[in-house]
Amino acid sequence: MQKDYKGPVEYSLEIAIEKIVGLLKEDYGISKRAIALLLLQDEEEIKALVREKETEALSKIEAIIEEISAHYIHPLTYELALERQAQVRQIISKAVTVKQEKVSIREKISRLSMNPITGLPLVLFVLYWGLYKFVGEFGAGTVVDFLEGTIFAQYINPFITNLFVRLLPWEILQDLFVGEYGVMTLGFRYAVALILPIVTFFFIFFSIIEDIGYLPRLAMLLDRTFKKIGLSGRAVIPMVLGFGCATMAVMVTRTLATKRERIIATILLALAVPCSAQLGVILALLEGNLPGMLIWAGVVGLVFLFIGYLTAKILPGERPSFYMEVPPLRWPKIGNVLTKTYVRVKWYFKEILPLFLLASVFIWLGKLTHLFDLVINLLRKPVEAIGLPHQASKIFLFGFFRRDYGAAGLYDLNKQGILTGLQLVVACVALTLFLPCIAQFLMTTRERGWKVGLGISAFILFFSFGVAYILNLLLSNLGVVL
Amino acid sequence: MPEEGSQAKEKMIKIAIVGSPNVGKSVLFNALTKRYVTVSNYPGTTVEVSRGTAKIDSLKCEVIDTPGMYSLLPVTEEERVARRILIDERPNLVIHVVDAKNLERMLTLTLQLIEAGLSLILVLNIMDEAQREGVTIDARVLERELSIPVIKAVSTKAKGIDALKQGIKDYAERL
């Protein structure tokens, strides 16, 4: 199909296209005209392809493109898009008729969900009932209590422990498999009794809002805010997933368009997005302490926005563009939800189980070589610097192995009455920001490479204590009593 | 190579299904292939591509379900892979699946695919929702304007699949 692109006659795009087509000698699988158009739009991969196939032609082509670009106000991509759009409109006007109807209820709800004034309260509503009540209280609370407290603690663990103690007479090896942090008693149990139910419930929630068509609307709603922190609406999905399990969310950052966006999302997930396991324990800790909870949420939220904004400023690269289809709202289909949940849980569990088992081995090695005592001693100074008792240093180390284990340790300390309200809030903030769990760390290095993974961890290590230090200083000097 | 039969019937034709995300490409792919489907990462990427074979009467087809693309000018890794498939694997026939509700946004890619010199069938999918929204499309006018076959479909209800198969056969006979 031939088209005439307008413009000053002697520099018309059509002439440039013809010239470029004339220079292309090789076979490209698609028409030379299409290749010429892509070259005019400065497409890297096609440029590389042409450079590889016919080196000499490219420099001549680039000269043509440079000359023609100078005669248009807008980038050629934009000019071409305008031309195409006009052409499409013309075809549409001939072939399509739309009956104007009243705005349906679905459409009204859809608009409300994307309007900031009504949309933001709706997000809070969805998060409260879906994430906090359904995944947190029911999944991570009731179901986990039953699986872990009853099934594992009373039946499986005693049986396995007994078995291994009989099979392996060496205490060191017994520790590896069935000790306090054993591969079976911690790694396996943690994956099956804790992560599996939490993630299953999370995926049910996620699949339902996905099936309804809520996610693209959420992405549209948050796109503007996300742009400021170097992300696009596309990043809504990994961020929402991060509240379920950040390890999985890091894996999902693959779907983001640019490397820059992937790195920013990974940093934010590691730093300021607590996973459901951690969130559950922290919410329990601060329950009934409304000012404390607000301070915690406020500080973590601010850190999220601030670091996002800062990394977006520092990291080179283009701002992401975002364009998304918004499908109509639909009633969720039970079959869809179940299938999606099943497939995801299965895939996720296969990815995550080996990492948990590996983490147990690391803990075993750490204890065996007394490396842990060393690290706990190293952490002692910074922990005391942020105004916490030295017993808290252990929490941070274990928090690295299990995010919520650190929080649970805090829970124990708090029960012993060692912590003041202020210390508790500072500790919660520090622990939320502190290094993600080892599984997330391993996933980060796998997705982003060792350099980025270690760099992010080093930054977080200092930053989390820095924020906690300032918060402690601020609150104590202001004489805040929580 | 078997000797008997006309060449067109014995030859295996390669079909690529393209289109933006969420237009029902995979449902259509499954309806065509049914069996012998493999899913693998496209070399050097984390993008998954499904491939399968279909048999329409005696015509054998290799069918590729490409990742979602909005334009030949790629933004995401998925789009890059989809374009690479069109360029490197040289499908004989390309089926462009579009959401009939949003035809205006989707036809741009159709024009680009035509411009790229690919043999094309346009599938107007999700016709039921389009009708519910009061959108009527004259497929014959579209065929005339674009000079390619246009087929209406509701892939989730298996509507239009037979017409598409017929379209593929017609294409193979002209080969």
Side-chain angles (χ1 to χ4, degrees):
Chain A
M1 203 163 66
Q2 287 297 313
K3 286 196 309 285
D4 286 313
Y5 290 111
K6 290 163 203 71
V9 184
E10 62 269 46
Y11 301 111
S12 140
L13 273 172
E14 204 51 58
I15 293 174
I17 293 170
E18 231 165 80
K19 279 192 202 160
I20 297 173
V21 169
L23 285 168
L24 294 170
K25 299 282 179 251
E26 298 294 320
D27 180 14
Y28 288 93
I30 60 176
S31 73
K32 293 191 173 120
R33 185 182 168 81
I35 295 287
L37 281 166
L38 288 167
L39 286 171
L40 280 171
Q41 298 175 75
D42 200 27
E43 214 284 306
E44 287 303 328
E45 205 171 284
I46 295 295
K47 265 206 306 216
L49 190 68
V50 174
R51 192 176 296 128
E52 186 189 307
K53 287 197 173 197
E54 33 199 332
T55 329
E56 283 157 39
L58 193 69
S59 54
K60 286 183 200 160
I61 292 170
E62 276 174 341
I64 297 174
I65 294 171
E66 200 176 317
E67 197 196 327
I68 180 105
S69 304
H71 292 86
Y72 285 88
I73 308 163
H74 303 295
L76 293 179
T77 313
Y78 183 70
E79 298 280 353
L80 286 168
L82 283 185
E83 291 274 349
R84 281 225 180 82
Q85 222 168 37
Q87 207 188 351
V88 166
R89 274 208 201 104
Q90 213 201 342
I91 298 174
I92 293 280
S93 69
K94 286 183 195 159
V96 181
T97 46
V98 182
K99 203 169 61 190
Q100 283 300 329
E101 271 180 297
K102 272 195 304 181
V103 182
S104 65
I105 296 176
R106 264 172 215 229
E107 185 55 34
K108 269 187 199 148
I109 298 175
S110 166
R111 283 182 199 172
L112 288 179
S113 72
M114 287 187 278
N115 181 328
I117 295 167
T118 44
L120 288 174
L122 186 68
V123 176
L124 294 180
F125 178 84
V126 169
L127 289 182
Y128 178 78
W129 284 101
L131 218 53
Y132 183 69
K133 283 285 180 190
F134 180 66
V135 181
E137 266 188 25
F138 184 65
T142 315
V143 177
V144 167
D145 282 349
F146 173 72
L147 277 178
E148 201 175 22
T150 309
I151 305 279
F152 265 86
Q154 287 179 21
Y155 300 100
I156 299 181
N157 274 358
F159 172 75
I160 289 185
T161 309
N162 210 334
L163 192 75
F164 274 92
V165 168
R166 264 193 237 164
L167 284 176
L168 299 165
W170 307 279
E171 211 188 315
I172 289 181
L173 280 182
Q174 285 176 8
D175 264 355
L176 173 61
F177 290 101
V178 293
E180 197 183 348
Y181 309 103
V183 170
M184 296 306 292
T185 41
L186 185 114
F188 183 70
R189 173 176 61 94
Y190 187 54
V192 173
L194 208 81
I195 292 302
L196 187 64
I198 292 178
V199 165
T200 306
F201 278 92
F202 181 79
F203 275 135
I204 294 175
F205 162 70
F206 189 79
S207 304
I208 290 175
I209 59 171
E210 188 192 27
D211 219 42
I212 290 175
Y214 185 61
L215 286 175
R217 289 175 171 78
L218 188 62
M220 294 300 249
L221 180 71
L222 296 182
D223 186 45
R224 202 178 300 168
T225 317
F226 270 35
K227 284 258 165 68
K228 296 222 169 68
I229 57 173
L231 297 173
S232 68
R234 218 187 289 268
V236 160
I237 291 169
M239 290 301 159
V240 173
L241 278 174
F243 284 102
C245 173
T247 309
M248 163 179 65
V250 170
M251 197 152 44
V252 171
T253 55
R254 279 178 200 173
T255 56
L256 301 178
T258 61
K259 194 180 168 197
R260 173 172 184 264
E261 206 179 339
R262 288 194 284 267
I263 290 180
I264 294 177
T266 309
I267 293 176
L268 290 176
L269 282 171
L271 183 66
V273 178
C275 68
S276 54
Q278 193 183 29
L279 200 60
V281 186
I282 285 183
L283 290 180
L285 264 172
L286 295 176
E287 206 179 11
N289 182 352
L290 191 64
M293 201 180 278
L294 288 179
I295 291 177
W296 170 78
V299 171
V300 173
L302 273 179
V303 165
F304 180 88
L305 294 175
F306 175 69
I307 290 301
Y309 178 76
L310 213 63
T311 41
K313 283 264 168 217
I314 295 169
L315 278 181
E318 272 174 49
R319 298 176 67 197
S321 64
F322 175 60
Y323 171 74
M324 193 182 240
E325 294 294 321
V326 179
L329 286 173
R330 299 180 176 117
W331 286 108
K333 286 189 188 148
I334 297 250
N336 277 357
V337 171
L338 291 182
T339 314
K340 280 180 191 168
T341 306
Y342 170 72
V343 171
R344 284 177 177 148
V345 168
K346 199 174 100 182
W347 157 78
Y348 174 69
F349 197 64
K350 258 179 17 202
E351 296 262 347
I352 208 75
L353 184 64
L355 293 183
F356 278 117
L357 299 185
L358 199 63
S360 289
V361 176
F362 280 152
I363 297 184
W364 176 73
L365 278 175
K367 288 190 72 118
L368 197 66
T369 53
H370 296 287
L371 200 64
F372 271 20
D373 299 331
L374 192 76
V375 178
I376 290 174
N377 267 328
L378 277 177
L379 280 171
R380 201 178 163 135
K381 275 268 174 282
V383 164
E384 282 172 349
I386 62 173
L388 297 181
H390 68 87
Q391 291 99 315
S393 36
K394 199 172 120 189
I395 294 169
F396 285 93
L397 177 61
F398 287 159
F400 179 57
F401 287 97
R402 297 175 35 163
R403 264 191 175 194
D404 66 315
Y405 193 88
L410 199 58
Y411 197 82
D412 285 344
L413 275 190
N414 191 39
K415 263 206 299 215
Q416 293 164 24
I418 301 177
L419 298 170
T420 65
L422 191 151
Q423 283 176 324
L424 188 62
V425 172
V426 171
C428 280
V429 168
L431 206 61
T432 309
L433 299 179
F434 191 66
L435 293 179
C437 71
I438 191 163
Q440 188 183 350
F441 171 74
L442 292 175
M443 187 61 76
T444 302
T445 58
R446 210 179 79 182
E447 291 290 316
R448 297 288 98 77
W450 279 100
K451 259 197 259 170
V452 176
L454 287 175
I456 289 176
S457 304
F459 164 71
I460 288 175
L461 197 59
F462 288 103
F463 186 80
S464 57
F465 276 105
V467 170
Y469 179 77
I470 294 170
L471 183 66
N472 179 49
L473 213 63
L474 216 63
L475 292 180
S476 351
N477 282 338
L478 289 174
V480 178
V481 179
L482 292 164
Chain B
M1 270 302 212
E3 292 294 315
E4 69 273 66
S6 72
Q7 255 197 324
K9 277 188 181 159
E10 288 305 328
K11 218 164 87 181
M12 175 109 146
I13 68 164
K14 198 188 253 188
I15 300 174
I17 302 179
V18 303
S20 45
N22 306 319
V23 294
K25 286 190 299 297
S26 301
V27 181
L28 213 62
F29 170 80
N30 289 332
L32 283 178
T33 51
K34 292 212 169 74
R35 284 180 300 164
Y36 312 119
V37 174
T38 57
V39 180
S40 59
N41 280 0
Y42 198 77
T45 67
T46 50
V47 179
E48 282 181 346
V49 176
S50 312
R51 291 158 197 275
T53 53
K55 214 166 170 214
I56 303 169
D57 297 339
S58 59
L59 176 70
K60 275 201 219 157
C61 313
E62 183 194 342
V63 189
I64 310 169
D65 185 14
T66 67
M69 77 186 311
Y70 292 100
S71 151
L72 274 189
L73 194 71
V75 177
T76 61
E77 180 103 33
E78 275 93 355
E79 290 185 291
R80 233 164 274 147
V81 168
R83 192 182 67 187
R84 245 179 260 166
I85 291 173
L86 293 180
I87 292 181
D88 295 344
E89 308 210 8
R90 319 218 158 173
N92 305 91
L93 180 63
V94 176
I95 298 175
H96 184 202
V97 187
V98 299
D99 178 350
K101 299 191 298 294
N102 298 316
L103 200 56
E104 186 164 344
R105 254 181 290 168
M106 310 243 155
L107 273 190
T108 327
L109 180 59
T110 318
L111 292 182
Q112 290 177 340
L113 294 168
I114 294 172
E115 209 160 37
L118 299 160
S119 300
L120 206 61
I121 294 180
L122 180 63
V123 175
L124 306 175
N125 200 14
I126 329 187
M127 271 312 296
D128 51 344
E129 282 182 11
Q131 264 155 15
R132 226 173 296 145
E133 287 185 14
V135 178
T136 351
I137 301 173
D138 191 332
R140 299 288 87 76
V141 172
L142 266 184
E143 283 189 337
R144 209 179 52 223
E145 290 290 319
L146 300 168
S147 331
I148 55 167
V150 176
I151 289 160
K152 289 184 179 179
V154 184
S155 62
T156 49
K157 291 174 187 147
K159 280 185 191 160
I161 304 295
D162 288 336
L164 177 61
K165 284 182 179 168
Q166 187 58 46
I168 295 171
K169 273 197 309 198
D170 289 347
Y171 164 79
E173 261 153 43
R174 285 200 307 272
L175 217 61

